[in-house]
PDB file of all heavy atoms in Angstrom:
ATOM      1  N   THR A  49      15.755  -3.211  -4.906  1.00  0.00           N
ATOM      2  CA  THR A  49      16.118  -2.692  -6.221  1.00  0.00           C
ATOM      3  C   THR A  49      15.281  -1.476  -6.609  1.00  0.00           C
ATOM      4  O   THR A  49      15.819  -0.473  -7.106  1.00  0.00           O
ATOM      5  CB  THR A  49      15.899  -3.811  -7.295  1.00  0.00           C
ATOM      6  OG1 THR A  49      16.538  -5.013  -6.866  1.00  0.00           O
ATOM      7  CG2 THR A  49      16.443  -3.395  -8.645  1.00  0.00           C
ATOM      8  N   ILE A  50      14.005  -1.521  -6.257  1.00  0.00           N
ATOM      9  CA  ILE A  50      13.131  -0.357  -6.528  1.00  0.00           C
ATOM     10  C   ILE A  50      13.623   0.850  -5.698  1.00  0.00           C
ATOM     11  O   ILE A  50      13.742   1.935  -6.201  1.00  0.00           O
ATOM     12  CB  ILE A  50      11.659  -0.671  -6.231  1.00  0.00           C
ATOM     13  CG1 ILE A  50      11.125  -1.728  -7.183  1.00  0.00           C
ATOM     14  CG2 ILE A  50      10.798   0.615  -6.316  1.00  0.00           C
ATOM     15  CD1 ILE A  50       9.746  -2.301  -6.836  1.00  0.00           C
ATOM     16  N   SER A  51      13.944   0.590  -4.406  1.00  0.00           N
ATOM     17  CA  SER A  51      14.436   1.646  -3.554  1.00  0.00           C
ATOM     18  C   SER A  51      15.680   2.297  -4.139  1.00  0.00           C
ATOM     19  O   SER A  51      15.837   3.519  -4.122  1.00  0.00           O
ATOM     20  CB  SER A  51      14.774   1.094  -2.160  1.00  0.00           C
ATOM     21  OG  SER A  51      15.379   2.068  -1.382  1.00  0.00           O
ATOM     22  N   HIS A  52      16.529   1.450  -4.719  1.00  0.00           N
ATOM     23  CA  HIS A  52      17.763   1.996  -5.304  1.00  0.00           C
ATOM     24  C   HIS A  52      17.428   2.908  -6.498  1.00  0.00           C
ATOM     25  O   HIS A  52      17.979   3.991  -6.619  1.00  0.00           O
ATOM     26  CB  HIS A  52      18.637   0.811  -5.781  1.00  0.00           C
ATOM     27  CG  HIS A  52      19.954   1.218  -6.346  1.00  0.00           C
ATOM     28  ND1 HIS A  52      20.976   1.780  -5.634  1.00  0.00           N
ATOM     29  CD2 HIS A  52      20.428   1.146  -7.639  1.00  0.00           C
ATOM     30  CE1 HIS A  52      21.985   2.041  -6.393  1.00  0.00           C
ATOM     31  NE2 HIS A  52      21.691   1.652  -7.633  1.00  0.00           N
ATOM     32  N   SER A  53      16.485   2.466  -7.331  1.00  0.00           N
ATOM     33  CA  SER A  53      16.084   3.298  -8.484  1.00  0.00           C
ATOM     34  C   SER A  53      15.435   4.612  -8.007  1.00  0.00           C
ATOM     35  O   SER A  53      15.776   5.679  -8.474  1.00  0.00           O
ATOM     36  CB  SER A  53      15.072   2.581  -9.337  1.00  0.00           C
ATOM     37  OG  SER A  53      15.671   1.489 -10.003  1.00  0.00           O
ATOM     38  N   VAL A  54      14.513   4.480  -7.014  1.00  0.00           N
ATOM     39  CA  VAL A  54      13.821   5.661  -6.474  1.00  0.00           C
ATOM     40  C   VAL A  54      14.863   6.684  -6.001  1.00  0.00           C
ATOM     41  O   VAL A  54      14.802   7.850  -6.246  1.00  0.00           O
ATOM     42  CB  VAL A  54      12.882   5.266  -5.321  1.00  0.00           C
ATOM     43  CG1 VAL A  54      12.408   6.467  -4.558  1.00  0.00           C
ATOM     44  CG2 VAL A  54      11.671   4.472  -5.890  1.00  0.00           C
ATOM     45  N   GLY A  55      15.904   6.120  -5.285  1.00  0.00           N
ATOM     46  CA  GLY A  55      16.892   7.023  -4.660  1.00  0.00           C
ATOM     47  C   GLY A  55      17.773   7.769  -5.659  1.00  0.00           C
ATOM     48  O   GLY A  55      18.322   8.837  -5.325  1.00  0.00           O
ATOM     49  N   LYS A  56      17.851   7.267  -6.889  1.00  0.00           N
ATOM     50  CA  LYS A  56      18.641   7.956  -7.922  1.00  0.00           C
ATOM     51  C   LYS A  56      17.949   9.244  -8.379  1.00  0.00           C
ATOM     52  O   LYS A  56      18.594  10.239  -8.721  1.00  0.00           O
ATOM     53  CB  LYS A  56      18.873   7.053  -9.128  1.00  0.00           C
ATOM     54  CG  LYS A  56      19.859   5.927  -8.928  1.00  0.00           C
ATOM     55  CD  LYS A  56      20.011   5.195 -10.247  1.00  0.00           C
ATOM     56  CE  LYS A  56      20.817   3.918 -10.074  1.00  0.00           C
ATOM     57  NZ  LYS A  56      20.701   3.057 -11.293  1.00  0.00           N
ATOM     58  N   GLY A  57      16.638   9.246  -8.408  1.00  0.00           N
ATOM     59  CA  GLY A  57      15.919  10.425  -8.870  1.00  0.00           C
ATOM     60  C   GLY A  57      16.381  10.917 -10.216  1.00  0.00           C
ATOM     61  O   GLY A  57      16.587  10.102 -11.126  1.00  0.00           O
ATOM     62  N   ALA A  58      16.612  12.203 -10.327  1.00  0.00           N
ATOM     63  CA  ALA A  58      16.989  12.784 -11.629  1.00  0.00           C
ATOM     64  C   ALA A  58      18.297  12.194 -12.168  1.00  0.00           C
ATOM     65  O   ALA A  58      18.563  12.185 -13.379  1.00  0.00           O
ATOM     66  CB  ALA A  58      17.105  14.278 -11.519  1.00  0.00           C
ATOM     67  N   LEU A  59      19.140  11.639 -11.271  1.00  0.00           N
ATOM     68  CA  LEU A  59      20.424  11.127 -11.678  1.00  0.00           C
ATOM     69  C   LEU A  59      20.290   9.778 -12.361  1.00  0.00           C
ATOM     70  O   LEU A  59      21.224   9.265 -12.987  1.00  0.00           O
ATOM     71  CB  LEU A  59      21.374  11.021 -10.481  1.00  0.00           C
ATOM     72  CG  LEU A  59      21.594  12.320  -9.672  1.00  0.00           C
ATOM     73  CD1 LEU A  59      22.472  12.064  -8.461  1.00  0.00           C
ATOM     74  CD2 LEU A  59      22.174  13.388 -10.584  1.00  0.00           C
TER      75      LEU A  59
END
Side-chain angles (χ1 to χ4, degrees):
T49 308
I50 295 171
S51 174
H52 182 67
S53 291
V54 167
K56 286 184 189 166
L59 304 177

